Amino acid sequence: MPVIAVDGPSASGKGTIARALAAHFDLPYLDTGLLYRAVGLNVARSGNDPDNNTDARAACDFPDILLDDPELRAEATGGLASRVSIHPEVRAALLERQLGFAAQDGGAVLDGRDIGTVIAPDADAKLFITASPEARATRRFKEMVAQGEKPSFDNMLADIIARDARDTNRATAPLKPAEDALLLDTSDLTIDAAVQRAIALVSGKLEAAG
């Protein structure tokens, strides 16, 4: 069974696409970003500093039930995840859990920021999902408005740009496409169109590999 790696920045659509791929190919799915969000939320709830290496590493010892906490999906938690993920010790602590999921016999779909480059460099198919910062900020803005919140678009755009800078410039496992990744820009695509395009790209890759 295939292993499919899906990478990309925040709000690019990679999570939606990865879940759709898992359903289409009947594969187990792991949102690796949730692991980092759990660490970020854990360190914040402990009253500690996500920018402090020792505090962030200690927060890696979280119970699995935390992965079901709805607060993990909050915008603020995403920012915390980006901050703790720059620490090499945090990435090392979460590495084994991700490697084990990718190596299971039944294949897998994993999404994150370093799946195709670090976690599953030998994946059968790799996608790098991207979109312009403006398109991604617009998506986040609409989501939050629909939830009854009153976000600032300018602040949201600035946060996305800052998060991209942290993720792409960190020393350990920076966000970047694997050399053999298939690129998919979702800036001007609907959700359905992006999903269908992703399925076609992965199907073509798997068929070519035999």
Side-chain angles (χ1 to χ4, degrees):
M1 297 296 286
V3 173
I4 302 171
V6 182
D7 290 305
S10 173
S12 60
K14 69 178 183 298
T16 299
I17 288 171
R19 285 189 293 273
L21 288 170
H24 180 81
F25 292 102
D26 194 22
L27 296 170
Y29 164 64
L30 176 64
D31 175 356
T32 65
L34 278 186
L35 302 178
Y36 291 95
R37 284 174 174 259
V39 174
L41 186 59
N42 196 24
V43 73
R45 287 179 174 175
S46 300
N48 292 323
D49 182 3
D51 299 315
N52 179 278
N53 177 68
T54 301
D55 289 351
R57 174 61 185 86
C60 292
D61 297 321
F62 59 83
D64 286 346
I65 194 172
L66 184 59
L67 294 174
D68 297 322
D69 193 312
E71 194 174 344
L72 290 182
R73 300 292 183 181
E75 189 69 19
T77 307
L80 290 169
S82 179
R83 290 163 67 184
V84 300
S85 69
I86 70 170
H87 303 299
E89 289 84 354
V90 169
R91 306 197 72 82
L94 299 179
L95 181 63
E96 289 303 319
R97 192 187 304 222
Q98 297 173 73
L99 290 175
F101 194 89
Q104 60 188 303
D105 291 337
V109 177
L110 298 89
D111 83 64
R113 286 168 171 75
D114 64 351
I115 308 304
T117 55
V118 176
I119 304 302
D122 296 324
D124 300 281
K126 302 175 187 177
L127 287 181
F128 191 87
I129 313 299
T130 189
S132 70
E134 291 77 14
R136 289 152 52 209
T138 298
R139 292 169 187 170
R140 284 281 193 242
F141 182 83
K142 290 180 177 179
E143 287 175 2
M144 295 182 73
V145 169
Q147 293 168 3
E149 301 182 41
K150 297 180 179 180
S152 162
F153 178 83
D154 289 342
N155 289 346
M156 191 160 295
L157 178 59
D159 179 68
I160 282 177
I161 292 172
R163 194 182 304 182
D164 285 352
R166 284 196 300 270
D167 291 345
T168 57
N169 294 320
R170 66 189 179 215
T172 303
L175 170 65
K176 64 178 182 179
E179 290 186 1
D180 55 345
L182 302 169
L183 302 182
L184 175 56
D185 189 326
T186 66
S187 299
D188 300 317
L189 297 178
T190 64
I191 293 174
D192 287 345
V195 165
Q196 292 307 311
R197 180 60 179 152
I199 290 173
L201 286 171
V202 171
S203 295
K205 180 70 173 180
L206 297 179
E207 289 170 5

